[in-house]
Amino acid sequence: MTDTVTAKEVDVVVLGAGIVGVSAAYAVRQQGMSVVLVDRREPGSETSYGNTGILSSGSIFPNNQPSLWKSLPKYLTNRHAALRWNIGWAIRNAGWLIRFLANATPANTKARALALRGLIRASLKLHREWIVKADAAERIRETGWLKVWRSDALATAKAEQAALKEYGIESTLLDRQAISALEPNIVPVYKVGLLHTQTASVNSPGAVVKAYARMFTGAGGELRNAEIRAIEPDGSGWLVAIADGAIRARHVVVALGPWSAELLRPLGYRVPLAVERGYHQEFKPNPARALSRPIHDADGAFLMTPMENGIRVTSGVELTSRDAPSSFAQLDVVVPLARGVVEFGEAVATPWRGARPTLPDSLPMIGPAPQHTGLWLAFGHQHIGFTTGPATGVAIAAMIGGAQPPFEVGAFSPSRYL
Ligand SMILES: Cc1cc2nc3c(=O)[nH]c(=O)nc-3n(C[C@H](O)[C@H](O)[C@H](O)COP(=O)(O)OP(=O)(O)OC[C@H]3O[C@@H](n4cnc5c(N)ncnc54)[C@H](O)[C@@H]3O)c2cc1C
């Protein structure tokens, strides 16, 4: 494959410098091992750049939960802003869709919620520590996350609050007046709100990942800017072929987000990874009408959040292939709705598109590849990868070091699919 004689040799190579890869690289480096982190782009330039920046305490119920069945008829029309799907993709991926839907049972959802609660709790603690250590504390806002309904959804909001409470997650129910008191600059179109009080957010997820990457290099880690071409077993370790050479390592961590499956295929792994694409567009804010926190308009199926460069409006899910041409149909629906609630100016950039990497059970893979020693998988974090990256990294680092991760990772074992 490559000239192994000239290959550089390290303890661990981490592939992918999104939030997951950067976190894994930093956590492994903290254990004193030599680490190279490889990405073809700057850290935090892909999915980890364009997300909504919510460090969510309450996202323990994945999209494939029992309530999905109730929403399915409206989604099947392919006209709802929450979900658009490509029919050709759906036919080609019917197996994935069936497995995804099969997980939307009460029993499956409880087990997954418990697993995600452990991952999220551990990760929020780490984010709050790391963001200070990384000299980026000014980017985090401890103002919670506000979900709001235009309709008379008091019963729905109460049920959500009770479900979260069962898992120890706090939230506050709000009426129209309380919403206005919290966000005085939005038009009072919302009748009911639920404030996730233990949730935080950041004003630039890409900048936070870059700050964590600087913390990694500051701790002696090496960042390599290169296209990753292949990974191959090499004696008792691995050889990673990159555009300008090769790296030899005892351990390889695959943290390539929505690109993770391709690289594993030559090794015999068929990973059932699909993507839930999403879009954002940013608009010039009016400083006199500022928002204080991310707001999720449940009926409108969009989020709006104050970012460093403007108000970021993010769309729902588009099910299609990762690299299919963009369709701005969902943004076209939701941007006018957002404009009706908060005052903002013209777009500050063209729309951005990203791909949430999702496995059929909506749980990430965190752990060893079952057929190979020294190969570690860390991807599939669906809608909550920005939140859960740090704990994923710490768990991978613990396993590489032969230790028990600090939270229960059994549900995330790659062997459930591979
Ligand atoms: C619209 C939207 C909103 C979201 N909102 C939130 C939110 O508010 N909170 C939250 O927690 N999560 C959110 N998410 C989910 C979150 O963004 C993802 O789960 C997370 O960013 C995934 O991180 P990652 O490190 O796995 O992947 P990525 O960030 O995509 O990183 C993968 C890296 O691999 C690199 N790479 C791939 N192939 C190669 C190659 N061959 N050679 C070299 N490098 C390569 C890429 O350049 C990239 O940097 C949102 C996602 C979307 C799309």
Side-chain angles (χ1 to χ4, degrees):
M1 172 170 90
T2 315
D3 183 0
T4 55
V5 181
T6 58
K8 181 187 171 76
E9 193 152 349
V10 289
D11 293 325
V12 182
V13 178
V14 178
L15 310 181
I19 184 65
V20 176
V22 167
S23 299
Y26 176 63
V28 173
R29 180 65 204 140
Q30 276 186 310
Q31 298 193 352
M33 286 185 243
S34 53
V35 189
V36 176
L37 170 64
V38 192
D39 201 303
R40 60 188 169 207
R41 299 194 62 186
E42 291 277 297
S45 297
E46 292 281 0
T47 332
S48 301
Y49 156 76
N51 61 70
T52 314
I54 302 171
L55 299 175
S56 174
S57 64
S59 298
I60 58 168
F61 304 113
N63 271 350
N64 51 349
Q65 55 173 296
S67 65
L68 175 62
W69 295 107
K70 217 175 110 197
S71 307
L72 214 51
K74 69 181 177 218
Y75 293 160
L76 287 174
T77 64
N78 218 359
R79 303 188 72 81
H80 201 281
L83 177 72
R84 295 290 167 103
W85 49 283
N86 176 280
I87 189 152
W89 178 89
I91 292 166
R92 287 193 304 281
N93 293 276
W96 184 91
L97 279 172
I98 289 165
R99 287 206 270 178
F100 182 79
L101 289 170
N103 273 291
T105 63
N108 271 350
T109 302
K110 187 161 190 195
R112 291 178 298 148
L114 279 169
L116 288 177
R117 183 184 67 174
L119 176 66
I120 288 171
R121 265 192 190 162
S123 219
L124 290 180
K125 192 164 175 285
L126 288 164
H127 264 300
R128 286 176 169 123
E129 283 169 26
W130 287 9
I131 208 159
V132 175
K133 259 193 183 168
D135 221 6
E138 77 286 356
R139 297 199 175 276
I140 191 167
R141 296 172 295 230
E142 295 288 354
T143 48
W145 171 30
L146 180 59
K147 183 170 180 179
V148 281
W149 288 264
R150 292 162 190 251
S151 56
D152 267 322
L154 187 60
T156 308
K158 275 187 170 166
E160 270 194 36
Q161 184 179 43
L164 290 171
K165 184 86 192 157
E166 256 186 63
Y167 294 85
I169 296 157
E170 297 299 331
S171 60
T172 307
L173 208 55
L174 307 172
D175 62 13
R176 199 192 296 268
Q177 265 187 329
I179 295 169
S180 288
L182 211 58
E183 288 289 352
N185 292 325
I186 63 173
V187 177
V189 295
Y190 300 115
K191 290 184 176 159
V192 185
L194 195 63
L195 179 69
H196 289 230
T197 49
Q198 295 161 320
T199 288
S201 63
V202 302
N203 71 356
S204 171
V208 169
V209 178
K210 284 182 174 57
Y212 290 177
R214 281 195 297 276
M215 187 164 76
F216 162 69
T217 51
E222 184 186 334
L223 183 62
R224 273 292 270 284
N225 183 224
E227 174 80 25
I228 301 150
R229 298 213 194 283
I231 50 175
E232 219 175 63
D234 177 53
S236 60
W238 289 89
L239 196 67
V240 179
I242 57 175
D244 54 353
I247 311 169
R248 255 213 191 112
R250 283 194 295 124
H251 301 273
V252 173
V253 180
V254 178
L256 295 165
W259 293 273
S260 298
E262 284 109 302
L263 203 77
L264 293 166
R265 197 166 267 223
L267 297 171
Y269 296 109
R270 294 184 77 82
V271 186
L273 189 72
V275 297
E276 299 179 66
R277 299 204 318 186
Y279 297 83
H280 87 223
Q281 193 162 21
E282 288 183 339
F283 299 89
K284 201 173 166 193
N286 174 352
R289 314 292 296 164
L291 296 179
S292 305
R293 56 182 59 73
I295 300 178
H296 175 193
D297 183 319
D299 298 315
F302 67 91
L303 280 111
M304 48 195 174
T305 190
M307 289 290 182
E308 188 172 38
N309 296 327
I311 305 253
R312 181 176 288 188
V313 178
T314 44
S315 71
V317 168
E318 183 191 20
L319 288 177
T320 188
S321 26
R322 187 191 60 211
D323 302 326
S326 295
S327 153
F328 302 116
Q330 284 158 294
L331 276 181
D332 289 346
V333 173
V334 303
V335 168
L337 285 176
R339 239 183 232 294
V341 179
V342 63
E343 203 181 302
F344 51 75
E346 74 271 23
V348 295
T350 51
W352 171 88
R353 185 188 86 213
R356 307 169 180 97
T358 304
L359 290 150
D361 59 5
S362 293
L363 298 181
M365 282 190 180
I366 307 174
Q371 314 299 336
H372 294 86
T373 304
L375 179 60
W376 304 88
L377 309 185
F379 54 80
H381 293 73
Q382 40 106 349
H383 295 242
I384 54 169
F386 186 63
T387 304
T388 54
T392 299
V394 163
I396 289 284
M399 288 188 265
I400 288 176
Q404 224 16 59
F407 59 94
E408 181 50 49
V409 291
F412 309 124
S413 169
S415 63
R416 72 193 192 278
Y417 286 121
L418 302 178

